[in-house]
């Protein structure tokens, strides 16, 4: 042990302080890499910015070039985006399908194996947020805007045009409704959350357990060592910034289309002038909502993002309960249970389905788009989850991130999508035409068939706006980490800069090609980052295996005995780890 640790054992102070000092001493001595580098130690501080000298300017240059070319060649941008989506989906769709399934298997292995008892942040780490606050931020950051946009549109789209996977099912039937909900569950269930869990675990582990910067380069320490601070690390972080920015801009663009649709519906019903659904309106809305977001992001993670995330969760629960109450309640509850059974039954085959035959491009517009979107969105969600998850075990982290948000998404989709299917199957009305004409209006069209239409519409618009704000806030904090060399605290000016940049890219994508451009941005940004994630599976395994081996070592056991002897305190998580090694008889390196 180090001299600082020896001094701590005999020093004065409370038992808790002594135990904490011992823990920190052990964490540095046994677990941290042998490096003198610190997060942001080469940063440039000027004009209210504190930025990495390579990552920040290169990322800004690429973003500026993209914005300039899109605006300069506006007339041809839509064709370019459409062609790009077709090429990427046709050539890389199979790779997306395979990669995402690998992520699920890897993250489950980490959770259910001996590595599951490793605690993020070290053996004495405490949780920074309550479970309620943690889950609130998970939901708000994960896919709030997407749940609002697609919860009605996707099941109805599949109902009107059955996915090719369900060959032989006739559109417009009850079987089509069942197939539509199962496919919706597939796109919003464990697959996206497995991606988020993998990225979040890697970032949290190497930052909190290894003392490395909270950036993507740190995850590759087992392979690169000190070279993570050189150009290999710079390139990793630059790719991460671009994937985050375009994935986030996709969500913001989709969200503002729905806000525009909501304002159009409400103004048409209650005002003398109807607000049109047009790109210029959406750009104005982006500017206004981004201005609100800058106020929140300036308040920081605890002051702004946490409070807005909790507000979002309350609004979501109220919105969900209201729809469940005014809708066909028993029909929705039965549908929720039934759809889970269908989803579980078709999942093994559906997860590996690549539409090899059929000659259609259905999968590229749905599954491949989603997988690309989730992968490009994963640096943002993963880093945000990592930032708020210190003190939780690997098993707790993975299972919570994988299962709880998935179940919530299923129930949300069953409530709103099920209410739409009820209109189709149990009444003479239809929503298929409205969804085909404009996906953004789907939810508001649904409300017209149920009581409290105005209240539902108002809450829906407010909720999309608050999701926009929290997504922008969280994304700004994440990109700040990446472009400041992994620093936790960055100047307010820098946070505001990235909030504005996210809104600008979303606006440019809408100007350049609307929803098609948003989809292409997500798929294109996700493809190169999928290779990064596959390599990440291996480096996270190396890190967890090294941690477990150290915790099974004699030196770690001696430290545990010293803690017990002096303070009668067993470090959180260490008891389970030691017992696991004793039970199995394997007290070694984790070669298995």
């Amino acid at each position: 042990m180090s001299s600082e640790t020896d001094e701590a054992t005999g020093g004065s102070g409370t038992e808790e302080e002594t135990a904490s000092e011992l823990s920190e001493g052990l964490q540095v001595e046994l677990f941290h890499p042998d490096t003198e580098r610190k997060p942001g130690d080469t940063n440039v501080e000027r004009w209210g910015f504190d930025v990495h000298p390579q990552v920040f300017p290169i990322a800004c240059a690429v973003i500026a070039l993209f914005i300039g070319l899109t605006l300069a060649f506006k007339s041809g941008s839509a064709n370019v985006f459409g062609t790009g989506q077709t090429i990427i989906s046709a050539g890389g769709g199979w790779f997306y399908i395979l990669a995402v399934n690998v992520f699920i298997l890897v993250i489950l292995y980490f959770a259910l194996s001996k590595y599951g008892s490793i605690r993020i942040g070290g053996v004495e780490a405490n949780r920074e947020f309550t479970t309620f606050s943690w889950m609130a931020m998970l939901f708000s950051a994960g896919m709030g805007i997407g749940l609002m946009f697609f919860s009605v549109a996707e099941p109805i789209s599949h109902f009107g045009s059955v996915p090719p996977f369900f060959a032989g099912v006739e559109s417009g039937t009850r079987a089509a409704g069942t197939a539509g909900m199962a496919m919706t569950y597939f796109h919003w269930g464990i697959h996206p959350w497995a991606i988020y869990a993998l990225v979040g675990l890697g970032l949290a582990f190497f930052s909190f357990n290894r003392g490395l910067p909270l950036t993507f380069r740190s995850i590759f320490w087992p392979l690169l060592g000190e070279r993570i601070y050189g150009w290999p690390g710079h390139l990793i972080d630059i790719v991460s910034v671009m994937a985050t920015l375009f994935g986030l801009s996709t969500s913001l663009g989709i969200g503002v289309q729905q806000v525009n649709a909501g304002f159009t519906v409400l103004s048409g019903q209650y005002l003398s002038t109807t607000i049109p659904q047009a790109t210029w309106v959406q750009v104005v809305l982006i500017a206004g909502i981004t201005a609100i977001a800058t106020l929140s992001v300036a308040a920081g993670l605890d002051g702004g993002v946490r409070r807005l995330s909790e507000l979002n969760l309350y609004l979501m629960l109220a919105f969900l309960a209201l729809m469940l109450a005014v809708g066909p309640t028993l029909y929705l509850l039965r549908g929720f249970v039934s759809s889970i059974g269908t989803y579980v039954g078709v999942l093994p085959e559906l997860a590996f389905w690549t539409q090899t035959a059929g000659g259609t491009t259905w999968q590229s517009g749905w599954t491949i788009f989603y997988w690309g979107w989730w992968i490009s969105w994963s640096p943002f969600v993963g880093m945000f989850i990592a930032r708020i998850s210190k003190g939780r075990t690997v098993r707790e982290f993975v299972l919570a991130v994988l299962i709880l948000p998935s179940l919530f998404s299923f129930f949300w989709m069953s409530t709103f999508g099920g209410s739409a299917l009820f209109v189709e199957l149990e009444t003479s009305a239809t929503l298929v035409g409205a969804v085909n004409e404009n996906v953004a209006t789907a939810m508001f069209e649904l409300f017209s068939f149920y009581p409290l239409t105005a209240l539902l519409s108002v809450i829906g618009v407010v909720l999309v706006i608050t999701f926009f704000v929290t997504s922008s806030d969280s994304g700004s904090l994440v990109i700040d980490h990446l472009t400041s060399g992994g620093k936790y605290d960055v100047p307010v000016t820098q946070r505001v800069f990235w909030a504005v940049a996210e809104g600008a890219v979303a606006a440019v994508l809408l100007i350049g090609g609307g929803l098609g451009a948003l989809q292409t941005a997500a798929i294109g940004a996700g493809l190169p980052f999928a290779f990064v994630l596959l390599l990440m599976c291996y480096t996270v395994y190396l890190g967890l295996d090294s941690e477990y081996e150290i915790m099974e070592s004699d030196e770690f056991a001696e430290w545990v005995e010293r803690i017990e002897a002096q303070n009668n305190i067993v470090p959180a998580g260490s008891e389970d780890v030691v017992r696991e090694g004793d039970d199995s008889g394997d007290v070694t390196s984790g070669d298995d």
Side-chain angles (χ1 to χ4, degrees):
M1 289 291 182
S2 65
S3 58
E4 292 85 352
T5 304
D6 289 333
E7 292 172 3
T9 61
S12 61
T14 66
E15 293 181 350
E16 290 80 3
E17 289 172 341
T18 304
S20 177
E21 291 167 1
L22 280 168
S23 172
E24 292 172 2
L26 176 97
Q27 199 68 25
V28 172
E29 182 73 17
L30 294 182
F31 293 93
H32 285 191
D34 184 17
T35 178
E36 299 298 323
R37 299 295 301 269
K38 302 294 182 182
D41 57 3
T42 62
N43 279 10
V44 175
E45 298 183 37
R46 191 174 301 172
W47 304 314
F49 288 78
D50 183 357
V51 296
H52 191 279
Q54 285 83 33
V55 176
F56 180 84
I58 293 176
C60 289
V62 173
I63 294 166
L65 180 63
F66 169 80
I67 292 175
L69 290 176
T70 302
L71 294 178
F73 301 98
K74 178 183 173 183
S75 58
S77 296
N79 292 331
V80 171
F81 286 129
T83 302
Q85 181 179 353
T86 301
I87 292 174
I88 295 172
S89 298
W94 66 271
F95 174 73
Y96 271 126
I97 298 297
L98 181 61
V100 175
N101 285 299
V102 169
F103 301 151
I104 293 177
L105 296 175
V106 168
I107 201 68
L108 284 175
Y109 171 70
F110 291 154
L112 302 178
S113 67
K114 60 188 179 183
Y115 307 123
S117 53
I118 294 174
R119 187 171 298 276
I120 296 172
V123 291
E124 281 285 325
N126 295 316
R127 298 174 181 177
E128 291 185 285
F129 301 98
T130 65
T131 299
F132 179 82
S133 295
W134 185 54
M135 293 304 299
M137 288 189 278
L138 282 183
F139 290 132
S140 296
M143 49 182 61
I145 287 177
L147 285 177
M148 296 291 293
F149 192 85
F150 287 104
S151 58
V152 174
E154 182 166 356
I156 291 298
S157 294
H158 299 333
F159 174 82
S161 179
V162 180
F165 175 82
F166 297 95
V169 175
E170 184 180 352
S171 62
T173 63
R174 294 187 183 277
T178 300
M181 287 306 303
M183 185 62 74
T184 303
Y185 277 19
F186 174 56
H187 290 150
W188 295 85
I190 63 172
H191 280 73
W193 286 101
I195 301 171
Y196 300 157
L198 173 65
V199 174
L201 176 62
L203 288 166
F205 176 80
F206 283 99
S207 175
F208 296 131
N209 292 62
R210 290 291 182 267
L212 293 169
L214 186 60
T215 66
F216 269 82
R217 68 177 71 207
S218 299
I219 300 176
F220 297 90
W221 174 272
L223 295 181
L224 297 175
E226 286 279 351
R227 286 179 294 169
I228 67 168
Y229 296 103
W231 274 105
H234 302 339
L235 292 175
I236 290 170
D237 278 352
I238 291 169
V239 171
S240 302
V241 170
M242 303 316 299
T244 303
L245 187 71
F246 285 107
L248 182 61
S249 298
T250 298
S251 293
L252 299 184
I254 285 174
V256 82
Q257 286 183 326
Q258 194 169 30
V259 172
N260 188 182
F263 282 154
T264 299
V265 171
L266 290 172
S267 63
Q269 293 175 349
Y270 303 105
L271 299 178
S272 58
T273 302
T274 301
I275 298 175
Q277 292 187 61
T279 301
W280 71 266
V281 176
Q282 292 159 16
V283 172
V284 171
L285 287 172
I286 286 177
I289 300 173
T290 299
I292 298 172
T294 58
L295 299 177
S296 176
V297 77
L301 180 62
D302 191 67
V305 179
R306 179 183 62 81
R307 292 177 181 175
L308 268 177
S309 297
E310 291 181 358
L311 173 63
N312 268 2
L313 186 57
Y314 288 127
L315 278 175
M316 284 185 75
L317 293 177
F319 194 44
L320 184 63
L322 185 60
M323 190 70 238
L324 193 62
V326 302
T329 308
L330 291 178
Y331 179 91
L332 299 179
L333 295 175
R334 289 196 298 263
F336 168 63
V337 176
S338 176
S339 296
I340 288 180
T342 305
Y343 166 70
V344 172
V346 301
L347 183 60
E349 183 180 358
L350 182 56
F352 290 92
W353 177 64
T354 58
Q355 198 177 355
T356 304
T360 68
T361 58
W362 181 93
Q363 194 175 42
S364 67
W366 286 101
T367 305
I368 303 305
F369 158 62
Y370 276 129
W371 283 189
W373 188 13
W374 303 148
I375 290 173
S376 65
W377 186 248
S378 66
F380 155 56
V381 181
M383 185 172 290
F384 188 69
I385 293 174
R387 178 68 182 83
I388 63 177
S389 298
K390 185 177 181 181
R392 302 181 187 276
T393 65
V394 170
R395 184 171 296 116
E396 177 188 10
F397 174 90
V398 170
L399 295 182
V401 173
L402 195 62
I403 295 174
L404 295 181
S406 296
L407 288 176
F408 183 84
S409 298
F410 292 165
F411 192 67
W412 182 279
M413 291 295 188
S414 289
T415 300
F416 289 92
S419 297
L421 290 174
F422 181 85
V423 171
E424 293 286 346
L425 294 171
E426 305 297 335
T427 74
S428 59
T430 181
L431 286 163
V432 174
V435 170
N436 291 338
E437 182 179 350
N438 189 345
V439 175
T441 64
M443 178 173 284
F444 301 104
E445 293 288 343
L446 168 68
F447 296 155
S448 65
F449 294 100
Y450 290 99
L452 303 178
T453 301
L455 179 59
L456 286 167
S457 298
V458 169
I459 295 176
V461 170
V462 171
L463 197 52
V464 176
I465 291 174
T466 56
F467 274 131
F468 187 116
V469 172
T470 53
S471 295
S472 178
D473 290 354
S474 305
S476 299
L477 293 173
V478 166
I479 297 178
D480 280 340
H481 285 312
L482 291 170
T483 56
S484 64
K487 280 192 171 182
Y488 289 108
D489 297 315
V490 296
V492 173
T493 306
Q494 196 165 317
R495 298 176 189 169
V496 172
F497 172 83
W498 284 116
V500 173
E502 292 154 9
V505 172
V508 167
L509 287 170
L510 287 173
I511 293 171
L515 184 59
L518 297 172
Q519 290 178 325
T520 303
I523 295 174
L527 186 60
F529 202 71
F531 290 95
V532 175
L533 297 190
L534 285 173
L535 187 57
M536 182 190 302
C537 293
Y538 180 59
T539 59
V540 174
Y541 162 75
L542 292 178
L544 292 176
D545 190 65
S546 173
E547 181 105 348
Y548 187 84
E549 183 176 354
I550 291 173
M551 295 178 75
E552 289 289 301
S553 67
D554 292 339
E555 191 168 5
F556 183 84
E558 291 173 2
W559 174 78
V560 171
E561 291 176 1
R562 294 173 65 187
I563 290 285
E564 291 176 331
Q566 179 164 345
N567 297 322
N568 277 330
I569 298 175
V570 178
S574 63
E575 185 178 19
D576 292 339
V577 174
V578 174
R579 184 181 295 117
E580 182 178 341
D582 291 340
D583 290 343
S584 64
D586 179 12
V587 195
T588 53
S589 62
D591 292 335
D592 54 347

